[in-house]
Amino acid sequence: MAAGGGADGALPELGRYIVARPIYNEVNFQEENERRLVVPKTLRERVQKTCSCSKKKAIQVTKTLLPILEWLPKYRVKEWLLSDVISGISTGLVATLQGLAYALLVGVPIGYGLYSAFFPILPYFFLGTSRHISVGPFPVVSLMVGSVVLSMAPDENFRVLSSNLTGLNKTLIDTDARDAQRVLISSTVSFLVGIIQLLFGVFQIGFIVRYLADPLVGGFTTAAAFQVLVSQLKIVLNVPTANYNGVLSIIYTLIEIFQNIAKTNIADLIAGLLTIFICMVVKEINDRFKHKIPVPIPIEVIVTIVATGISYGADLEKKYNAVLTAMSVGMFGDIIASSFSIAIVAYAIAVSVGKVYATKYDYAIDGNQEFIAFGISNIFSGAFSCFAATTALSRTAVQESTGGKTQVAGIISAAIVLIAIVALGKLLEPLQKSVLAAVVIANLKGMFMQIGDVPRLWRQSKADAMIWVFTCIASIILGLDLGLLAGLVFALLTVVLRVVEPEGVKILRFSSPIFYANIDGLRSSLKSTVGFDAMRVYNKRLKALRKIQKLIKKGKLKATKNGIISDFGTANEAFEPDEDPEDPEELDIPTKEVEIQVDWNSELPVKVNVPKVPFHSLIFDFGAVSFLDVVAVRVMKTILKEFERIDVKVYIASHLDHIIKTLEHCAFFDDKIKTEIFFLTVHDAVLHIQNQIMHRDIQDPIFEKVGTQTQFCFYSFTEHSELHR
C-alpha cells in the first residue's frame, strides 16, 4: 500500500510500498484460508488419461520428439536459404579444420576428427531445438575424452621389438594397433556418453545443468584451456613426453617438456609459431571489421591448405619425422565415471551457448529434448568411430555471424565436411601435426579471455569470483574430472554459507527428497553443520547434573532461589574427573521447590566436558524437499526429539502441502510435536522465534540479571529420572 501525503500538502511518497501480513504457521494459515478439497483421481482414471491418444495429442508428442516438424514447415526459403548456404559453407570450412585439430586432443588419427565433425550433425538436425549452434567437437570435451583414451591406451602398452639388418633389436611402437585401440576407446566413450544423456532426457533431468553456475563453467573452461595449451605445446615443439593424467598431470607434462626442450624439432616449431601468429592476427581483423566483412576470412583453412602443400612438396614428414567400429561393452565399467562427467559438461556447454542465441532471436530451447538430441547424436556418431560431440563457441559464432538462420546451415556445413572426408583424406596425411596444434592454440583466445571476468565478478559478488578461481585452480591441479567435482561442491558450500542466520538460529536447507538411501547422510551432514551430536550433548548434561546433585547433597554447592549455582569455596572435590564411571543409582532428592538454572555454555562447577550449543532454534528449510518416505519420517521425528531434549526448538519451513499429509499418515505428530512448528516460509519462522525471545525477555526478570548469557536450561531434580527414561 502506497504511503499517503503529509498534512502539509506534500505529494505522497510513491517510491516505496509496505506490505504487512501476520506470521503464518501451518495452523493459523489453515484457519484463515479455507483449503479447497481436491478429489484425487483414481489409478484407472490417471492411466486412462495418460494412455489416451487423440490426433492433436499425437501431433504434439511427435513435434516434441522431432522439433524439425515444428520449424521446417515454417522455413522461409527466399529469405533464409541464401544466408544458410553462406553460413553453412563458412562453418563447414572451420569445422573441417577444428575436427582435424581436436583429434590431436583425443589422441586418435586426425581423419577421425573429420568423422566427428560430420556424423553428430545429422541426428541433431532432426532432434535439436537450437537453430544456431554448430554441433561437433569442442576442445574441453575432446581433452576429457583424450584423458580417458591416453590413460587406457598409453604408448607403453604397444612397444614391440624389431630387428634390423645389423642384428640389433630396437624397440618400436606398433602405431596401427595403438591407434585402433584408441579409436575403439574414444568411440565407446562417445557411445556411453550418448546413453547417459539419452537417459537423462527420457527421465526429464534437464534441470541438472542449473547446478553448473556460470562462474563455475567459466573457471572450468579456462582451466581446460590451460590443459589444452600444455597438451598442444609438446606437439608444436615435437618433444617426447609421457602421457600424464589425473592429479598434477599438467605440472608433470610441463616439467618433462622443459627437460627435453633441447630436442625441439625446428621445422615444427617454426611452422607452429607462424600458424599461431597468422591465425591470431587474421582473427583480430575478423573481430574488428566484422560489420564490414560479410564473411569472416577462413584463415585456418588457408593456413592448412598452404601447410599441406608445403609439407607434401618438401616431404617434411620423412626429412624431419613430423608426425566404423564395434563398441566394447566390457569397457563400460572402466569409463562410466569419466563418461558421466563428459556427458554433463558437453550438455552444459551446448545448452549454455544455445540459450544465448535463443534469447537473442526470441525462441525457446527445451533442456530435456537437448539431452535426447545430443544423446542420440553421440550414440549414432560413436557407432561410426567418432569422439563425443557438443558445440564449439567459435564455430557457433561463425555460423550465427555469417547469417545462419536455422539448422539448414548445419546440414550444409556437414556436407562441406563430407567433401573433405571424401576428397582430402590422402592429401592431409603429410600435414604437420604442429600446424594443427597451432590452430588449436589459436582458437583458445576466447577461453583465456574469460580471465578478465574475475575482476568484474569480484565487484559484483565475491563468492562467485571465489567459485571461478577455485574451480579453475582445482581443475588445473586435480585434472578436469576431479576439478569439476571439487568446483561443484565448493559452489554448493558457498550457497549454504551465504545464508544469513540471525543470532542464535541455525538454518539448514535440504535440496533433495529425503528417503531411506540418503537419511544417514542427512544425519551426518546435520551433525557436521551444527558441530555436535544432540544425543551426546544430552547424555553429558545428565552426567553433569548428577554430579551437581551429589555435590549439593554433600553441601559443597548451593542452589539459590534464582536458580544460580553458587560455590561455598569448599574443595576441589567438585571437579571430579570426567572419566569416572557414571553412578547408575537413581538420585531422588526432594528439591521440588528449587529449580537449577545452568548456563551450559559457561564453565561448569564439575569437570564434565559438555559440548557447547551456540544456538537456541533450528529451522529445517524444506523448500526443495519433494517427498519423505517412512524411514525419513521416523528419523526426522527422532531428530526433533533429540534437539528438544537439549532445549533447541526445532521448526520446519517452506514445506509442500503434501508433506504434512505424509507426516500425518506416518504418525509423526504427538503430544509434543504439533503442526505449530511448521511455517509457510523461513522468514515466518525467524520472525516467530524473534517474537518469542522478545516476549521471554520482557516477562522473565532473571534474564535482566544475566542478559549476557546466551542460553539457559532449567531442570528440576524431580524431573531427572523422567528425562533419563
Side-chain angles (χ1 to χ4, degrees):
M1 113 191 221
D8 57 358
L11 290 174
E13 184 182 349
L14 300 177
R16 66 190 180 95
Y17 66 88
I18 300 172
V19 176
R21 69 164 175 81
I23 298 172
Y24 281 130
N25 63 11
E26 184 68 23
V27 175
N28 54 40
F29 181 77
Q30 295 299 338
E31 288 176 354
E32 292 190 17
N33 300 273
E34 184 179 354
R35 181 186 297 224
R36 289 184 179 181
L37 182 62
V38 178
V39 180
K41 293 181 179 180
T42 63
L43 178 61
R44 180 181 178 181
E45 290 173 335
R46 282 181 286 176
V47 171
Q48 187 176 7
K49 182 179 179 181
T50 304
C51 297
S52 63
C53 184
S54 63
K55 182 179 178 181
K56 182 179 179 182
K57 186 175 181 179
I59 293 173
Q60 186 60 44
V61 170
T62 305
K63 285 183 176 180
T64 301
L65 295 176
L66 290 170
I68 189 175
L69 299 177
E70 184 70 39
W71 62 265
L72 191 59
K74 302 174 184 176
Y75 189 82
R76 304 172 190 172
V77 178
K78 293 182 180 180
E79 297 178 38
W80 293 350
L81 183 58
L82 181 59
S83 297
D84 278 342
V85 170
I86 295 172
S87 174
I89 294 172
S90 304
T91 308
L93 293 173
V94 175
T96 299
L97 269 299
Q98 288 187 348
L100 293 170
Y102 297 157
L104 298 181
L105 298 175
V106 180
V108 297
I110 59 175
Y112 291 93
L114 292 177
Y115 303 154
S116 301
F118 171 72
F119 285 104
I121 298 175
L122 305 181
Y124 191 86
F125 177 73
F126 297 96
L127 300 169
T129 59
S130 173
R131 303 174 194 170
H132 292 89
I133 65 173
S134 174
V135 180
F138 181 62
V140 174
V141 175
S142 299
L143 187 65
M144 294 178 75
V145 176
S147 67
V148 180
V149 170
L150 295 178
S151 65
M152 295 183 67
D155 289 341
E156 293 77 14
N157 291 2
F158 301 93
R159 296 190 186 278
V160 292
L161 290 176
S162 176
S163 299
N164 55 23
L165 295 176
T166 62
L168 297 175
N169 290 332
K170 185 178 181 181
T171 302
L172 300 175
I173 294 175
D174 187 349
T175 55
D176 291 338
R178 180 199 65 185
D179 291 346
Q181 182 67 11
R182 288 182 176 180
V183 169
L184 176 62
I185 296 169
S186 67
S187 57
T188 303
V189 169
S190 177
F191 193 83
L192 185 54
V193 164
I195 291 174
I196 293 170
Q197 290 177 329
L198 180 60
L199 290 175
F200 279 179
V202 169
F203 291 106
Q204 306 284 293
I205 313 181
F207 68 87
I208 197 169
V209 76
R210 298 174 193 168
Y211 294 98
L212 299 178
D214 288 345
L216 185 144
V217 174
F220 175 76
T221 52
T222 304
F226 279 102
Q227 298 267 17
V228 171
L229 175 64
V230 172
S231 71
Q232 299 308 287
L233 183 61
K234 64 182 182 182
I235 297 175
V236 170
L237 298 173
N238 198 357
V239 295
T241 64
N243 296 317
Y244 297 103
N245 290 289
V247 179
L248 297 178
S249 60
I250 191 171
I251 308 298
Y252 296 140
T253 303
L254 282 172
I255 291 172
E256 193 163 355
I257 286 174
F258 286 110
Q259 285 176 343
N260 297 323
I261 198 74
K263 300 177 182 178
T264 298
N265 186 301
I266 301 301
D268 279 328
L269 177 61
I270 293 173
L273 291 178
L274 279 174
T275 303
I276 293 172
F277 176 76
I278 294 171
C279 286
M280 296 192 75
V281 168
V282 176
K283 280 177 174 291
E284 189 66 26
I285 293 173
N286 284 338
D287 288 341
R288 292 197 176 189
F289 299 100
K290 59 184 177 183
H291 299 297
K292 297 181 180 180
I293 303 175
V295 178
I297 301 171
I299 187 59
E300 294 99 335
V301 178
I302 297 171
V303 167
T304 305
I305 292 173
V306 172
T308 302
I310 294 173
S311 297
Y312 189 83
D315 204 7
L316 289 175
E317 183 180 16
K318 291 183 179 178
K319 290 183 180 179
Y320 295 99
N321 192 31
V323 288
L324 234 330
T325 305
M327 297 301 106
S328 178
V329 178
M331 292 182 183
F332 280 9
D334 297 326
I335 64 176
I336 183 67
S338 299
S339 298
F340 185 88
S341 303
I342 295 168
I344 297 300
V345 172
Y347 171 80
I349 291 169
V351 171
S352 300
V353 175
K355 282 183 176 179
V356 171
Y357 292 103
T359 302
K360 182 176 180 179
Y361 291 97
D362 194 25
Y363 65 92
I365 63 173
D366 184 337
N368 291 309
Q369 181 62 23
E370 287 296 292
F371 252 139
I372 293 173
F374 276 101
I376 293 178
S377 291
N378 280 313
I379 291 173
F380 178 74
S381 57
F384 287 92
S385 304
C386 304
F387 45 87
T390 175
T391 186
L393 284 70
S394 58
R395 198 167 59 244
T396 299
V398 169
Q399 181 165 314
E400 185 268 342
S401 63
T402 52
K405 305 296 182 184
T406 66
Q407 281 299 327
V408 169
I411 281 293
I412 294 172
S413 71
I416 299 298
V417 177
L418 181 60
I419 292 171
I421 293 172
V422 174
L424 302 179
K426 284 292 180 183
L427 295 177
L428 292 170
E429 288 182 0
L431 178 62
Q432 290 170 276
K433 289 185 178 180
S434 62
V435 173
L436 292 177
V439 170
V440 174
I441 293 172
N443 277 283
L444 297 177
K445 176 189 171 185
M447 295 167 68
F448 280 122
M449 292 297 288
Q450 294 178 126
I451 296 174
D453 293 341
V454 178
R456 175 183 58 80
L457 280 174
W458 184 260
R459 291 191 299 269
Q460 295 174 349
S461 169
K462 291 181 173 56
D464 285 341
M466 290 171 63
I467 292 172
W468 196 105
V469 173
F470 180 87
T471 305
C472 183
I473 294 174
S475 298
I476 290 173
I477 295 175
L478 302 177
L480 296 181
D481 291 353
L482 291 177
L484 178 63
L485 178 61
L488 182 59
V489 171
F490 183 78
L492 293 175
L493 284 175
T494 61
V495 172
V496 175
L497 294 174
R498 275 185 269 187
V499 176
V500 179
E501 296 173 336
E503 186 179 357
V505 179
K506 179 67 69 176
I507 303 171
L508 283 92
R509 176 178 174 83
F510 302 116
S511 298
S512 68
I514 306 175
F515 58 110
Y516 69 92
N518 66 3
I519 193 65
D520 289 336
L522 182 148
R523 293 207 67 160
S524 299
S525 299
L526 174 62
K527 179 180 176 181
S528 174
T529 303
V530 301
F532 58 83
D533 183 297
M535 198 62 201
R536 181 172 180 271
V537 172
Y538 174 66
N539 289 332
K540 287 290 185 178
R541 287 185 179 183
L542 285 183
K543 183 175 182 179
L545 284 169
R546 283 197 294 269
K547 290 180 178 291
I548 291 170
Q549 185 181 13
K550 287 199 298 186
L551 293 171
I552 291 175
K553 181 179 179 182
K554 295 176 181 178
K556 295 179 180 178
L557 290 176
K558 178 182 178 183
T560 68
K561 64 179 181 180
N562 289 329
I564 306 298
I565 300 175
S566 60
D567 192 344
F568 280 111
T570 56
N572 293 330
E573 291 182 34
F575 296 91
E576 302 178 34
D578 190 26
E579 54 269 13
D580 284 354
E582 295 185 8
D583 191 348
E585 66 178 341
E586 289 291 338
L587 299 171
D588 190 15
I589 302 176
T591 54
K592 185 177 180 180
E593 71 284 355
V594 178
E595 289 184 332
I596 299 176
Q597 176 178 295
V598 180
D599 177 7
W600 292 109
N601 289 329
S602 66
E603 185 177 348
L604 299 176
V606 290
K607 192 176 181 181
V608 177
N609 183 23
V610 180
K612 302 292 188 289
V613 180
F615 56 90
H616 50 71
S617 301
L618 175 63
I619 301 174
F620 290 118
D621 182 354
F622 272 22
V625 178
S626 55
F627 73 88
L628 295 90
D629 69 357
V630 177
V631 176
V633 172
R634 184 171 65 248
V635 173
M636 285 301 301
K637 186 171 184 177
T638 302
I639 289 172
L640 262 67
K641 288 186 177 295
E642 287 176 355
F643 277 93
E644 290 286 347
R645 281 179 168 180
I646 60 172
D647 299 287
V648 174
K649 297 291 183 183
V650 182
Y651 304 91
I652 297 173
S654 303
H655 55 283
L656 299 174
D657 246 7
H658 68 270
I659 294 292
I660 294 288
K661 292 182 180 178
T662 301
L663 296 175
E664 288 174 346
H665 293 156
C666 296
F668 180 79
F669 299 104
D670 54 27
D671 294 340
K672 293 185 178 180
I673 302 178
K674 301 181 181 297
T675 52
E676 282 84 351
I677 68 170
F678 287 80
F679 286 83
L680 260 62
T681 66
V682 172
H683 190 57
D684 283 307
V686 171
L687 290 177
H688 170 78
I689 292 167
Q690 291 175 339
N691 285 342
Q692 292 291 100
I693 292 174
M694 187 182 301
H695 180 73
R696 185 180 65 180
D697 289 352
I698 294 171
Q699 296 296 322
D700 195 339
I702 293 179
F703 278 80
E704 296 177 6
K705 298 179 183 179
V706 287
T708 57
Q709 297 179 351
T710 58
Q711 183 178 354
F712 298 89
C713 300
F714 295 91
Y715 286 90
S716 171
F717 285 139
T718 54
E719 296 172 346
H720 285 178
S721 59
E722 179 64 28
L723 280 171
H724 193 58
R725 286 197 293 271

